[in-house]
Amino acid sequence: MKYDFTTVEPKWQKAWEENDAFKAVDFSEKPKWYGLVEFPYPSGAGMHVGHIKAYSSIEVISRKKRMQGYNVLFPIGFDSFGLPAENYAIKTNTHPHDITEKNIAHFSDQLRKVGFSFDWSRVIATSHKDYYKWTQWIFEKLFEHGLVFRSKTLVNYCPHCKVVLSNEDSQGGKCDICHSEVVQLPKDVWFLRITDYADKLLDGLNHVDYPDSIKQQEIAWIGKSTGAFVNFRLAGTDEKLEIYTTRCDTLYGVTFMVVAPEHPVLDKYKDRIRNWDAVEQYRKESAKKTEFERTQLVKDKTGVKIDGLMAVNPITGKEIPLFIADYVMMGYGTGAIMAVPAHDQRDYDFAKKFGMDIVQVIKGGDISKEAYTGDGEMINSGFLNGYTNKKDSIKAMLKHIEKEGIGHKGVQYKMKDWAFNRQRYWGEPIPLIHCPKCGTVTVPEEELPLELPPVKNFEPGTDGQSPLAKIDSFVNCTCPKCGGPAKRETDTMPQWAGSSWYFLRFCDPHNDKAFADRKKLEYWMPVDQYNGGMEHVTRHLLYSRFWHRFLYDIGEVNTPEPYAKRTYQGMILGADGEKMSKSKGNVIDPLDIVKLYGADTLRTYVMFMGDYQSAAPWSDEAVRGCKRFLDRVAGLTDIMTAEKEDPKLENSLHKTIRKVTEDIDNMKFNTAIAAMMSLINEFYKAGSITKDDLITFIKLLSPFAPHITEEIWQYIGMNPDGKTFITLSSWPEYSEEKAKDSVIELGVQVNGKVRGTVQLAADVSKEDALAAAKAEPNVSKFLEGATIVKEVYVPGRIINFVIRK
RNA sequence: GCUGGUGUGGCGGAAUAGGUAGACGCAAGGGACUUAAAAUCCCUCGGUGCUUACACACCGUGUCGGUUCGAGUCCGACCACCAGCACCA
């Protein structure tokens, strides 16, 4: 059969859609399977080959699951709020809404052209008001449950995008959107109390099937540590300076204290500080440093000793000096530390530079050279002397300080609360109202969605004010509680809000009474497999698990974790091995490949190019190799002439069914395709195959290359009415019996070196196998005149003669 | 520095639980078909040696050691690269 993909592919795409081939059925009797891919941000650039790879895994598995009799939900939508559209709109003097709708249409068209089996009746977009109504509704629930709070603290701020960023959005000190340096500014910001969920987010990882790399990264990001809070008194005052430590058992070794430059205690005791000028100067300098600079100079410690203020070591009663230094961060712990130079390298470096005492309290190491951070016997530590186990000494000290009232056990997280408001236009308006009488109140549920006003000028204010603040008709409102005049919150939600619950909406996308019907949620959730990028592990994945867990806690959803299984894909690099980027000119447009070779070729290549989880460079030649393979598949109809099944081919066929079935389940798509390539080589070598051979083969291939297999299926008369699709037929079953080899080839080693091979019946006896091996000419050559010390026979694997001459 | 991962031909990569290293594909070389090219088909394809040839021998999975009849796979030490975190007290 000759086939022309330019006509065949659109033909089947249309036929599938017209016949609702991929429609997920609520409450079907069949077992459900919910496969999810990260819905795209509809950028102006259109789809990237990375999207194709990311979606193809769940696509292939979904198509196979349908054939295996599952009721599959494989939805798609658009994460359509966000800064790039807004920035682009400003640049081109258009409106983000129009641009977004245009991009969504473009993306939808591209996705269809690749032949993905999405259920298009469930498509959603986070910027549509029937969707963001429920994003706002969930936010109000969070507010009602005390998980939203306002606080003026140092936050990450991107001067280029003119927005406050969360910690997750400024990893590595860079803005997640524009990659420029983030600065720390004191701002009044809305936070979501994600840290309240830190333990639940950690525990949830024990109940899901995620790769270790993902679990570890989330655990590290949450960064839980257990320790103690201890109060140090300022000498001559009642002021208590609280510190956090994981090693309270080293209290006897504390010889000075350090507070972060921003620590408020300094201002409070300004009058007593004799070198205030120096302190202020140091503060200014450290404020100027970027986060990057502040964390780079690890060795060279800077700081200023505070003249006029001393602290008191609560356990020894000794007065100790107090410093400010920027190696102590305001954002972790209490912004103040007890310094134990003998057992902490940073404190050690600092003590050496400023001539502080170094008191060893744990035996071991050489503290004349460096801090000793290992374990050992406690010394110079009063009642702790003689303890040799870290756990025990910490426990004993904790008991002591709790009894004395100078401290208590505590937990700290590296993760910070989620800075949630953005001073930009193209996002969900935060549904809060500021009333001078009632305080902050939520917009009543019946008034949701709080619609984004359609304005012309949405440029961000230079003073960090949201564009919405300029619209009086939006800002001024009446308080829903007292009816008095009030003002609306003018900031919008961050990029990640809408994506934090979209998988729930797919279960019931058109519901206008609830974010989703409870019964439908119970039917579809949890997501059985969710594929996405590694870059979202400490952003979207964490945020969405948090929202979902909250909804579970308030009884709105039926599972504590949203995703039963998470997988990820490796990046597609440019042909030069570099990350694809416009500036390098190595970007591949997936639609160019579709035009040139067809969607099936693109899909097959993307799955064949290498291990799914690994990064691999693009190769135009290798793409053509996949096209060649598919052309050979089309040619199979010409050799479909055999009447009787060849037992050897049948054996290979059943082995291939087993291999492809297992490989798809294990995401080993490259070897699944390789197995089919091997089989087709065998087919052509055999010269003729039966119709059943062909049917089985194209069924196996159909999840990868659905169009060509659909065309062959019809060509050989399997689709007389035009809607009996191969993609909805049954997945081939293999028989272990038929997949078994009757003759096996075994390697024969002499002293561990392969010297020959023997052909043996699969059920050969040990004696016969060894005899045949000894008779193999090249083996017998080595055995001549030697004593066989040992005969190793592993059935089906190897024969090894250990000899001595 | 810490955490996780990777290291195999010219290239992308195969190799359940230790058992014939290099499947499959690409590139390359040779040949067939063709006026020619493209396409297609057939053959060769880790290195070295030896051979008319079939064969065969030695070396070979980042480096050095170890365990084992047998190591790409397990253990120990190291090196390189990738990703994430990073003065986290």
Side-chain angles (χ1 to χ4, degrees), chain A residues 16-284:
Chain A
W16 292 326
E17 204 165 338
E18 281 173 357
N19 290 286
D20 290 332
F22 309 123
K23 208 161 192 171
V25 183
D26 295 324
F27 311 120
S28 149
E29 294 287 301
K30 292 179 182 176
K32 71 99 184 177
W33 194 81
Y34 184 177
L36 185 67
V37 294
E38 288 175 344
F39 65 163
Y41 174 78
S43 73
M47 282 222 296
H48 187 271
V49 276
H51 287 116
I52 310 296
K53 185 168 175 185
Y55 301 164
S56 289
S57 54
I58 303 291
E59 156 76 358
V60 167
I61 297 169
S62 289
R63 282 187 180 263
K64 168 167 166 279
K65 289 271 179 193
R66 282 191 204 97
M67 292 172 80
Q68 287 179 315
Y70 286 83
N71 177 30
V72 169
L73 172 55
F74 182 39
I76 191 69
F78 298 95
D79 191 11
S80 47
F81 270 136
L83 262 184
E86 183 171 340
N87 288 339
Y88 184 80
I90 291 170
K91 212 168 79 185
T92 57
N93 199 23
T94 46
H95 196 278
H97 172 268
D98 301 340
I99 287 163
T100 300
E101 290 308 312
K102 212 179 98 202
N103 289 349
I104 287 176
H106 186 218
F107 262 70
S108 302
D109 178 55
Q110 292 186 316
L111 288 165
R112 283 182 166 91
K113 283 186 170 137
V114 181
F116 287 123
S117 62
F118 295 124
D119 179 351
W120 286 98
S121 73
R122 292 180 188 247
V123 71
I124 57 174
T126 56
S127 61
H128 291 176
K129 61 186 179 211
D130 57 343
Y131 182 89
Y132 73 70
K133 167 179 179 173
W134 300 105
T135 309
Q136 291 173 331
W137 183 88
I138 296 170
F139 175 85
E140 293 196 345
K141 291 291 158 209
L142 287 159
F143 187 87
E144 285 161 21
H145 286 82
L147 289 167
V148 180
F149 69 100
R150 199 166 174 89
S151 163
K152 185 168 182 168
T153 45
L154 278 181
V155 291
N156 305 298
Y157 184 80
C158 174
H160 182 258
C161 296
K162 300 190 177 98
V163 284
V164 167
L165 295 172
S166 69
N167 239 27
E168 288 75 19
D169 273 340
S170 49
Q171 295 185 25
K174 299 249 199 290
C175 170
D176 194 51
I177 294 155
C178 71
H179 309 290
S180 54
E181 288 270 349
V182 165
V183 294
Q184 307 283 305
L185 290 180
K187 289 234 177 237
D188 209 0
V189 165
W190 285 111
F191 287 97
L192 297 195
R193 252 183 242 285
I194 190 171
T195 53
D196 273 14
Y197 273 74
D199 282 325
K200 285 174 177 174
L201 290 171
L202 282 174
D203 178 64
L205 292 175
N206 296 321
H207 309 289
V208 291
D209 179 12
Y210 289 13
D212 261 2
S213 50
I214 291 180
K215 285 192 184 180
Q216 287 307 324
Q217 212 173 304
E218 287 214 346
I219 290 167
W221 185 257
I222 294 168
K224 182 178 184 173
S225 89
T226 50
F229 289 96
V230 184
N231 288 312
F232 282 62
R233 202 163 45 78
L234 283 186
T237 73
D238 290 333
E239 184 71 30
K240 297 233 170 79
L241 198 50
E242 191 179 48
I243 61 95
Y244 175 74
T245 177
T246 53
R247 289 304 299 268
C248 63
D249 56 334
T250 60
L251 256 171
Y252 282 96
V254 175
T255 54
F256 60 98
M257 286 186 79
V258 187
V259 298
E262 304 86 1
H263 202 288
V265 77
L266 299 173
D267 298 294
K268 196 168 170 189
Y269 292 93
K270 189 179 167 179
D271 299 344
R272 294 185 180 223
I273 299 171
R274 290 194 292 270
N275 58 340
W276 182 250
D277 287 350
V279 170
E280 266 213 311
Q281 179 63 30
Y282 185 76
R283 281 179 146 187
K284 267 187 204 149

Side-chain angles (χ1 to χ4, degrees), chain A residues 393-657:
Chain A
S393 56
I394 289 174
K395 218 169 151 189
M397 180 58 91
L398 261 176
K399 208 173 148 193
H400 179 79
I401 60 174
E402 276 176 6
K403 201 178 84 194
E404 296 291 313
I406 53 176
H408 59 89
K409 200 174 166 174
V411 175
Q412 274 296 300
Y413 302 95
K414 288 185 195 175
M415 182 172 69
K416 293 180 189 169
D417 279 321
W418 180 1
F420 198 70
N421 46 331
R422 301 288 178 270
Q423 298 68 41
R424 297 295 295 250
Y425 173 75
W426 192 234
E428 301 87 347
I430 292 177
L432 292 177
I433 291 167
H434 304 283
C435 171
K437 272 191 215 152
C438 310
T440 307
V441 292
T442 54
V443 172
E445 193 181 325
E446 58 277 10
E447 284 178 28
L448 294 180
L450 172 60
E451 288 190 41
L452 194 56
V455 294
K456 287 237 163 61
N457 180 11
F458 41 84
E459 287 210 36
T462 44
D463 47 357
Q465 252 206 344
S466 163
L468 295 181
K470 287 177 275 189
I471 308 162
D472 291 342
S473 58
F474 177 79
V475 175
N476 296 315
C477 62
T478 53
C479 172
K481 250 192 191 162
C482 68
K487 289 194 185 302
R488 287 191 194 281
E489 170 64 49
T490 56
D491 284 358
T492 53
M493 297 189 201
Q495 168 93 92
W496 310 106
S499 59
S500 288
W501 70 281
Y502 77 112
F503 44 90
L504 298 172
R505 189 65 177 171
F506 282 138
C507 299
D508 190 12
H510 309 297
N511 195 327
D512 58 2
K513 304 276 182 301
F515 67 88
D517 177 73
R518 178 64 192 233
K519 287 252 155 53
K520 291 182 185 172
L521 288 175
E522 280 169 14
Y523 178 78
W524 288 113
M525 289 295 288
V527 172
D528 291 280
Q529 186 177 345
Y530 187 20
N531 189 71
M534 246 354 235
E535 70 275 16
H536 288 134
V537 169
T538 52
R539 295 180 178 92
H540 159 67
L541 201 65
L542 202 60
Y543 290 148
S544 58
R545 289 182 57 226
F546 162 46
W547 275 39
H548 191 266
R549 182 59 200 244
F550 162 73
L551 290 171
Y552 175 76
D553 285 352
I554 63 168
E556 292 288 344
V557 297
N558 55 306
T559 60
E561 285 289 331
Y563 322 118
K565 180 178 179 174
R566 168 80 180 189
T567 52
Y568 63 96
Q569 73 282 345
M571 220 190 295
I572 298 182
L573 305 171
D576 53 2
E578 300 286 321
K579 198 173 160 173
M580 281 191 190
S581 78
K582 253 191 212 158
S583 58
K584 288 198 192 94
N586 59 356
V587 176
I588 301 290
D589 181 342
L591 269 290
D592 285 348
I593 305 300
V594 170
K595 269 180 222 146
L596 225 51
Y597 305 108
D600 283 338
T601 298
L602 172 67
R603 296 166 55 117
T604 305
Y605 172 62
V606 158
M607 298 310 266
F608 180 63
M609 59 192 298
D611 176 56
Y612 189 68
Q613 266 97 2
S614 306
W618 184 267
S619 158
D620 281 325
E621 289 81 13
V623 173
R624 284 196 279 276
C626 288
K627 175 74 166 69
R628 219 169 288 159
F629 166 61
L630 293 179
D631 287 340
R632 276 160 70 79
V633 171
L636 283 176
T637 53
D638 301 335
I639 61 163
M640 195 185 72
T641 52
E643 296 284 319
K644 252 181 66 193
E645 182 70 47
D646 172 355
K648 227 188 121 216
L649 277 189
E650 189 183 39
N651 171 247
S652 299
L653 194 65
H654 279 259
K655 279 199 281 193
T656 308
I657 299 171

